[in-house]
């Protein structure tokens, strides 16, 4: 079987630079020359910029078929990045990503997280690797530890072996070794494994860049859809921990997250740093969920309410039943682990850089959510087009010190 070689590598062979080691000027950080470990890709930068040129970056995106991954691939394709998409399962599920880049710039390769040979083949021609693999649910094949810790360590270790120049690992805001328990005795297992995954990546690839996004919203997200899903409510009551009054969130739009990751991928000065991707405003979870349902329901007063989880025994039985059914249907969007993670208040550390340090001004929810909520409205959209619907006021912003 013939070995697959990207277009840029074939071009490099024709120019007799394959396997050579070149020294170029690092204009981003220092005047000292920088050795390019993989001159077959980065040394072939050409064009004036944009989708139809080559930026000099060959990027492998693990988790490209996910919610954030699709937007990241689209953002990278716009700046002329050659993208390699490792996929697991049906190849037709990731085929739409072909449109993210110009002809021949988006390539696919089958892989499995436990198959090191397939991972090496997916990244051996890349100078940038982005790991977006993550799960909010456990399956018979992968639990949280295997995905967020073992898988992250494997990718980081093999990226170092392959001579990858820049590794970007996407973790989660609030990742901590000792999460504060809310509804579960041991706290969120996801946040604990995310922290262990960061430590594993640092051990294998010390200059990796860690990205910690807050709750990310957008079309097809796991934030708005979680609270608007029929499984999340009991009749028209939405149970929250402590009615959402003690949970503070700074959600960030997916386009800002993708722009930040693309900026990191093209800037070697970000190596070894940890970034926090958060929105510009902070709200209580009560204000956010209340706003969602007031946008979705006309004359919402009296038609829905927000209650406390601990006083809604029927909803607790619903969660227990969902936990049992997850053995058959693992994609059910309701579990104690998901509830625990969603009710942890966002902690933004002042010593860590954010999107603003990358030159990106994040969009506020007030300008985005009315559009993002359109698929979830409860009545005929003609009513709103005629102007009979009065938009509710935006949620109250928590003053920041």
């Amino acid at each position: 079987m013939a070995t697959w070689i990207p277009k840029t590598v074939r071009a490099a062979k024709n120019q007799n630079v394959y396997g050579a080691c070149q020294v170029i000027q690092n204009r981003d950080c220092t005047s000292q020359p920088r050795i390019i470990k993989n001159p077959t890709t980065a040394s072939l930068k050409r064009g004036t910029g944009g989708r139809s040129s080559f930026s000099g970056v060959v990027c492998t995106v693990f988790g490209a078929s996910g919610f954030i991954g699709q937007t990241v691939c689209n953002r990278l394709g716009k700046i002329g990045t050659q993208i390699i998409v490792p996929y697991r399962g049906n190849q037709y599920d990731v085929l739409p990503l072909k449109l993210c880049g110009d002809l021949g710039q988006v390539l696919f390769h089958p892989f499995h997280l436990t198959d090191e040979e397939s991972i090496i083949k997916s990244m051996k021609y890349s100078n940038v690797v982005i790991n977006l693999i993550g799960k909010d649910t456990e399956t018979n094949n992968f639990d949280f530890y295997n995905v967020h810790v073992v898988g992250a360590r494997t990718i980081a270790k093999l990226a170092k072996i392959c001579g990858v120049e820049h590794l970007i690992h996407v973790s989660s805001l609030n990742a901590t070794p000792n999460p504060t328990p809310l509804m579960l005795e041991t706290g969120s297992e996801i946040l604990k494994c995310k922290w262990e995954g960061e430590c594993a990546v640092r051990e294998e690839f010390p200059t990796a860049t860690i990205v910690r996004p807050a709750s990310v919203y957008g079309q097809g997200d796991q934030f708005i859809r979680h609270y608007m899903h029929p499984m999340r409510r009991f009749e028209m009551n939405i149970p929250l921990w402590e009615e959402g009054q003690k949970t503070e969130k700074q959600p960030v739009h997916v386009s800002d997250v993708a722009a930040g990751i693309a900026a990191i991928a093209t800037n070697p000065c970000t190596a070894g740093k940890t970034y926090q991707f958060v929105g510009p405003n902070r709200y209580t979870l009560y204000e956010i969920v209340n706003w969602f349902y007031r946008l979705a329901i006309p004359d919402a007063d009296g038609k829905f309410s927000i209650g406390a989880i601990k006083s809604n025994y029927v909803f607790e039985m619903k969660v227990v039943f969902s936990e049992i059914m997850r053995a058959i249907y693992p994609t059910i969007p309701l579990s104690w682990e998901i509830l625990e993670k969603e009710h942890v208040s966002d902690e933004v550390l002042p010593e860590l850089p954010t999107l603003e340090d990358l030159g990106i001004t994040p969009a506020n929810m007030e300008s985005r959510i009315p559009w993002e909520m359109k698929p979830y409205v409860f009545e005929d959209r003609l009513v709103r087009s005629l102007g009979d619907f009065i938009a509710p006021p935006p949620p109250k912003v928590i003053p920041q010190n």
Side-chain angles (χ1 to χ4, degrees):
M1 181 177 179
T3 303
W4 164 76
I5 301 177
K7 180 178 66 175
T8 52
V9 176
R10 296 197 298 270
K13 285 184 175 181
N14 294 334
Q15 297 180 16
N16 297 321
V17 299
Y18 181 69
C21 186
Q22 294 185 350
V23 178
I24 68 169
Q25 194 74 9
N26 184 358
R27 300 182 179 87
D28 297 320
C29 300
T30 177
S31 59
Q32 297 297 323
R34 178 167 60 99
I35 296 178
I36 295 297
K37 297 180 181 179
N38 191 355
T40 61
T41 56
S43 61
L44 295 177
K45 181 176 180 179
R46 59 183 182 274
T48 58
R51 188 174 186 271
S52 295
S53 62
F54 177 53
S55 65
V57 176
V58 177
C59 182
T60 299
V61 183
F62 290 95
S65 61
F67 166 59
I68 299 177
Q70 296 178 34
T71 310
V72 169
C73 288
N74 191 40
R75 178 73 63 162
L76 291 173
K78 286 183 177 180
I79 60 176
T81 304
Q82 185 170 80
I83 306 169
I84 301 172
V85 179
Y87 67 92
R88 182 172 69 96
N90 194 331
Q91 61 179 340
Y92 293 103
D93 292 338
V94 296
L95 194 59
L97 294 176
K98 196 78 172 177
L99 303 176
C100 291
D102 204 359
L103 183 63
Q105 287 295 86
V106 181
L107 307 169
F108 302 91
H109 194 280
F111 96 109
H112 195 278
L113 199 55
T114 60
D115 183 5
E116 293 189 357
E117 183 179 356
S118 66
I119 296 176
I120 291 175
K121 289 180 179 179
S122 299
M123 67 169 69
K124 66 179 180 179
Y125 295 111
S126 300
N127 51 7
V128 177
V129 171
I130 302 174
N131 181 16
L132 284 158
I133 298 177
K135 290 176 67 67
D136 283 342
T137 59
E138 293 183 307
T139 63
N140 294 331
N141 296 324
F142 291 99
D143 58 16
F144 295 135
Y145 185 82
N146 286 331
V147 173
H148 300 136
V149 184
V150 178
R153 181 185 293 275
T154 301
I155 291 175
K157 178 183 67 176
L158 297 180
K160 192 71 173 179
I161 294 174
C162 291
V164 172
E165 295 180 5
H166 198 174
L167 172 64
I168 303 172
H169 176 74
V170 179
S171 180
S172 175
L173 197 67
N174 308 317
T176 175
N178 300 304
T180 303
L182 299 177
M183 290 166 280
L184 299 178
E185 293 182 359
T186 59
S188 173
E189 184 68 18
I190 296 176
L191 296 179
K192 182 179 179 180
C193 288
K194 286 286 190 180
W195 171 265
E196 294 177 359
E198 291 184 14
C199 297
V201 169
R202 287 287 191 215
E203 291 176 7
E204 302 292 344
F205 203 113
T207 58
T209 303
I210 305 295
V211 175
R212 295 176 179 173
S215 298
V216 185
Y217 65 94
Q219 294 293 314
D221 64 1
Q222 296 294 336
F223 184 67
I224 300 175
R225 185 167 61 174
H226 170 72
Y227 291 105
M228 301 305 298
H229 198 281
M231 290 289 293
R232 185 59 182 83
R233 55 182 181 264
F234 173 68
E235 294 182 347
M236 287 308 293
N237 177 268
I238 299 88
L240 301 175
W241 179 75
E242 298 292 347
E243 298 184 356
Q245 299 288 359
K246 295 184 179 181
T247 302
E248 299 180 2
K249 291 290 185 181
Q250 284 186 247
V252 59
H253 195 263
V254 64
S255 62
D256 296 325
V257 174
I261 293 176
I264 292 174
T266 56
N267 185 1
C269 295
T270 60
K273 297 181 180 179
T274 299
Y275 285 85
Q276 302 171 123
F277 288 1
V278 297
N281 297 326
R282 194 173 181 90
Y283 319 87
T284 63
L285 188 59
Y286 172 86
E287 288 287 336
I288 293 174
V289 176
N290 182 64
W291 187 37
F292 286 171
Y293 276 88
R294 288 184 177 276
L295 284 170
I297 304 174
D299 301 326
D301 292 334
K303 295 185 179 180
F304 83 102
S305 60
I306 296 177
I309 291 179
K310 62 182 179 182
S311 62
N312 194 326
Y313 302 107
V314 178
F315 180 76
E316 291 184 358
M317 293 176 59
K318 186 177 182 179
V319 178
V320 173
F321 178 74
S322 298
E323 295 272 12
I324 298 173
M325 292 300 295
R326 288 171 74 84
I328 305 174
Y329 304 103
T331 58
I332 293 178
L334 185 62
S335 69
W336 287 117
E337 179 59 43
I338 293 177
L339 294 175
E340 180 80 12
K341 176 179 177 291
E342 288 296 330
H343 286 92
V344 174
S345 293
D346 289 344
E347 182 180 3
V348 183
L349 303 179
E351 66 270 18
L352 295 181
T354 59
L355 284 168
E356 286 83 354
D357 295 282
L358 295 170
I360 299 170
T361 302
N364 57 47
M365 292 187 70
E366 292 81 356
S367 63
R368 295 282 190 172
I369 288 298
W371 168 261
E372 306 292 354
M373 282 296 301
K374 287 183 180 293
Y376 302 98
V377 295
F378 279 48
E379 87 292 341
D380 189 349
R381 292 166 177 77
L382 179 62
V383 176
R384 303 197 177 201
S385 64
L386 295 175
D388 296 335
F389 176 78
I390 300 177
K396 298 177 182 178
V397 177
I398 299 175
Q400 301 185 39
N401 296 328

